[in-house]
Amino acid sequence: MFMEQLSNGIALGSIYALTAIGFTMVYGIIRLINFAHGDLYMIGAFLTYTGLTLFNMPIVPSFLFGMVGAAAFGIAIAKFAYSPVFKAPRINLFLSAIGIAIFLENFAMLIWGPETQSFPSVINNKVYSFIGIRISSLQLIILGSTIVLVGILTYVVQYTKLGRAMRCVSQDMDVSKLMGINTDRIVYLTFALGSGLGAAAGTLVGMYYKAVYPMMGFVPGLKAFIAAVIGGIGSIPGAMLGGLIMGISESLGAAYISSGYRDAIAFIILIIILLLKPEGLLGKGIKEKI
Amino acid sequence: MLKVKDLHVYYGGIHALKGLNFQIEKGEIITLIGSNGAGKTSTLRAISNLIKSKGSIKYKDQEINDLNAEKIVGMRLIQVPEGRRIFTALSVEENLLMGAYLRKDNEKIEEDLQYVYKLFPRLKERTKQYGGTLSGGEQQMLAIGRALMSAPELLMLDEPSMGLAPIVIEEIFQAIKEINQENGLTVLLVEQNANIALQTAHRGYVIETGEILFTGNAKDLLHDDRVRKAYLGEE
């Protein structure tokens, strides 16, 4: 039972982690709590669903279609909804994000309908068990995709010129301009990457629960926010860690305490961590040296 | 090399620069001196186009007031911002390489890196260290080194002496002089510390509440009564 819940929790946690990474990247670069992030996750899931059902593509191209499509949505949102208010007080940007969230939910209802659509089963879900651990092939796919995507992202951010530019822009936009970095382009690119990762998470959830619906991103969006804050907002490894902690504790909590408390557990962890370490587990308090 | 004509900057209703005029010839070190809030930083930010301004800024005979900040960097007009502003979460070497972001001449980049290490040996001892762990003086060296990695033709420095110990200030201004003399690099130096700025520069402009009050040779300004009273604390 424990092992089963643990593998469940790791699968759930990797999905939270993927969502939270996109969230934290956008926050890191323009200090925006992107409340539309969960809805991009939903759009990504629906686009993959469309690729599978309408275009009859196999899962991998559909998956990529969902990610790229959501990335395009992310860029368009950044360009038309966020960049006009970049220089305004933060609250305007925040309101714009809420507006976009409402827009995307209704857009999805208009295109795909308000009811829950069943996500086609794309793989033969076998359950493997070894040394007492039972893990399904779907869980393995979720874990595998997360590891691959996070690996690519980490490589890009840490070891490429582009990643270095992203880290600079997230630290100091003005000085990044003085280095000759085209900061607008980096901002759009970050939105694209974040939305693409969110879409991957949405698709994996669709596959896992075999359902997609227009409001599916709402709660995961909040949870991603919590996971990002737990790990230290703006920190990519922090978002990973926060996501995993939340996924595992939710699964275990649901199994051993009560499944009714599933969502409350996330908030309880958030409160405890904010009390003990307000900057998050891997967040850095920034001090200036003279 | 740089000609600024009738430069105006507004922050909301505040008229921060009221028609600034000055110019720099190739190979010169000139300084803008003035007290806090005189408009020195605004001037540099306007030239680098980090803020909007009205008026003409001509660099190498080209009007650059409408160009994006990164285009201006590409033209080798480089600024070391006030307060150093190094990337604290990047290593010293990564910081320096950021300066070379737009450059493609890899061999020359390596050469320039070695030049910076020679100029500031203390940075070489700390290549893998995070920028945020350096002392104030080392951070200023890093900020200047980073700007040199952009292969500047005109280098603008905003208060390099800020918050530093006199002995470190001495070291940094010595380096500025050295770069100017050895490589003929043109320098625009903005300073509150009028004494060291005028000792380093060839010419100076005195700026107050967004206007140039007067200008002259640095040596003459150093002995000018108005400058001595206002900026060197003498009666």
Side-chain angles (χ1 to χ4, degrees):
Chain A
M1 160 91 161
F2 176 78
M3 280 304 179
E4 208 156 305
Q5 289 306 328
L6 191 67
S7 52
N8 225 339
I10 290 173
L12 191 65
S14 353
I15 289 169
Y16 285 150
L18 272 186
T19 323
I21 288 171
F23 200 101
T24 222
M25 283 172 73
V26 167
Y27 179 85
I29 223 138
I30 56 166
R31 305 288 178 267
L32 163 70
I33 306 290
N34 185 11
F35 265 97
H37 189 64
D39 297 295
L40 283 161
Y41 154 115
M42 173 271 295
I43 292 285
F46 265 114
L47 288 174
T48 308
Y49 164 81
T50 304
L52 283 168
T53 55
L54 192 67
F55 304 144
N56 286 316
M57 293 191 290
I59 180 64
V60 173
S62 300
F63 201 139
L64 291 177
F65 173 70
M67 285 180 71
V68 172
F73 264 87
I75 293 175
I77 289 167
K79 181 145 189 74
F80 297 113
Y82 298 157
S83 87
V85 285
F86 268 168
K87 295 214 168 74
R90 289 289 96 170
I91 188 78
N92 300 21
L93 198 54
F94 184 68
L95 289 174
S96 190
I98 293 177
I100 283 296
I102 296 171
F103 167 77
L104 287 178
E105 284 156 15
N106 287 283
F107 175 80
M109 283 188 214
L110 198 69
I111 303 282
W112 291 286
E115 44 307 284
T116 301
Q117 310 287 337
S118 76
F119 200 89
S121 356
V122 285
I123 57 146
N124 187 7
N125 196 14
K126 270 197 282 190
V127 177
Y128 303 96
S129 73
F130 45 89
I131 33 173
I133 305 170
R134 288 160 56 81
I135 191 160
S136 71
S137 37
L138 251 178
Q139 287 172 336
L140 284 174
I141 285 175
I142 290 175
L143 196 60
S145 328
T146 305
I147 291 172
V148 169
L149 288 171
V150 170
I152 294 172
L153 181 75
T154 309
Y155 174 77
V156 169
V157 170
Q158 289 300 325
Y159 301 106
T160 65
K161 196 171 177 180
L162 181 75
R164 218 187 288 143
M166 285 173 64
R167 282 184 283 151
C168 289
V169 173
S170 80
Q171 235 183 79
D172 194 328
M173 182 122 23
D174 266 359
V175 176
S176 298
K177 285 183 186 159
L178 291 179
M179 302 294 111
I181 298 171
N182 184 339
T183 51
D184 286 346
R185 217 163 66 200
I186 299 284
V187 168
Y188 292 135
L189 205 93
T190 307
F191 266 96
L193 282 173
S195 309
L197 291 175
T203 301
L204 291 171
V205 164
M207 282 164 69
Y208 199 44
Y209 295 117
K210 304 212 170 16
V212 283
Y213 52 99
M215 295 304 290
M216 70 184 278
F218 182 70
V219 171
L222 282 180
K223 297 250 180 87
F225 172 54
I226 299 173
V229 172
I230 287 176
I233 196 152
S235 152
I236 293 175
M240 286 250 2
L241 186 66
L244 280 175
I245 289 178
M246 269 184 46
I248 293 170
S249 48
E250 265 188 26
S251 288
L252 294 180
Y256 291 102
I257 305 172
S258 157
S259 61
Y261 288 121
R262 187 180 260 274
D263 290 342
I265 289 166
F267 290 96
I268 292 169
I269 298 175
L270 175 70
I271 291 168
I272 293 171
I273 288 187
L274 288 184
L275 282 173
L276 299 177
K277 202 162 183 296
E279 69 273 25
L281 291 173
L282 300 183
K284 290 186 193 99
I286 294 161
K287 286 178 199 124
E288 197 183 328
K289 235 179 166 180
I290 307 275
Chain B
M1 186 158 203
L2 182 80
K3 202 167 188 177
V4 172
K5 235 172 152 179
D6 200 28
L7 188 67
H8 291 265
V9 166
Y10 298 85
Y11 294 113
I14 299 162
H15 196 173
L17 292 186
K18 303 166 187 161
L20 229 55
N21 292 294
F22 65 92
Q23 56 178 317
I24 310 166
E25 304 300 333
K26 202 167 166 31
E28 267 190 316
I29 303 182
I30 76 143
T31 180
L32 293 181
I33 54 174
S35 54
N36 230 345
K40 307 185 299 292
T41 297
S42 297
T43 308
L44 293 199
R45 288 175 65 82
I47 295 173
S48 283
N49 210 357
L50 295 176
I51 47 171
K52 282 211 162 57
S53 61
K54 272 190 213 146
S56 151
I57 304 168
K58 270 203 171 130
Y59 172 65
K60 296 201 281 191
D61 295 321
Q62 196 189 328
E63 183 56 57
I64 59 165
N65 201 2
D66 311 318
L67 294 184
N68 288 338
E70 65 266 16
K71 287 264 161 52
I72 292 172
V73 173
M75 294 173 75
R76 308 283 159 99
L77 171 46
I78 309 298
Q79 177 180 165
V80 179
E82 184 178 15
R84 312 182 270 272
R85 309 265 290 266
I86 53 147
F87 299 110
T88 50
L90 266 61
S91 72
V92 166
E93 189 147 308
E94 282 184 310
N95 263 284
L96 290 172
L97 290 176
M98 277 324 292
Y101 184 75
L102 288 180
R103 295 174 60 187
K104 307 253 185 289
D105 46 344
N106 291 336
E107 277 167 35
K108 191 75 182 25
I109 291 174
E110 183 56 32
E111 214 172 280
D112 285 352
L113 192 64
Q114 296 313 321
Y115 175 75
V116 170
Y117 285 147
K118 206 183 94 211
L119 192 66
F120 300 117
R122 278 210 258 169
L123 295 181
K124 188 165 188 173
E125 296 161 20
R126 291 168 165 66
T127 49
K128 297 285 169 238
Q129 227 171 292
Y130 280 126
T133 64
L134 300 183
S135 74
E138 289 160 353
Q139 289 192 358
Q140 186 64 60
M141 293 172 193
L142 181 56
I144 295 174
R146 185 178 64 181
L148 291 175
M149 291 301 292
S150 311
E153 288 175 24
L154 170 55
L155 182 66
M156 305 193 290
L157 297 144
D158 196 349
E159 298 224 20
S161 78
M162 193 168 89
L164 301 182
I167 184 159
V168 183
I169 296 180
E170 196 68 43
E171 198 177 329
I172 280 167
F173 277 77
Q174 202 49 51
I176 296 170
K177 257 188 183 163
E178 201 180 309
I179 306 161
N180 169 261
Q181 279 164 6
E182 283 183 8
N183 310 342
L185 179 64
T186 315
V187 178
L188 169 55
L189 179 62
V190 154
E191 260 299 341
Q192 270 190 65
N193 186 336
N195 200 12
I196 185 117
L198 289 173
Q199 283 172 24
T200 310
H202 302 118
R203 288 191 300 122
Y205 290 87
V206 177
I207 175 171
E208 207 174 281
T209 55
E211 284 169 295
I212 302 277
L213 285 191
F214 48 93
T215 170
N217 280 328
K219 278 204 193 80
D220 300 337
L221 287 178
L222 208 48
H223 299 108
D224 188 293
D225 283 343
R226 294 165 298 183
V227 174
R228 297 183 76 84
K229 260 193 192 150
Y231 304 108
L232 300 176
E234 291 178 19
E235 282 305 307

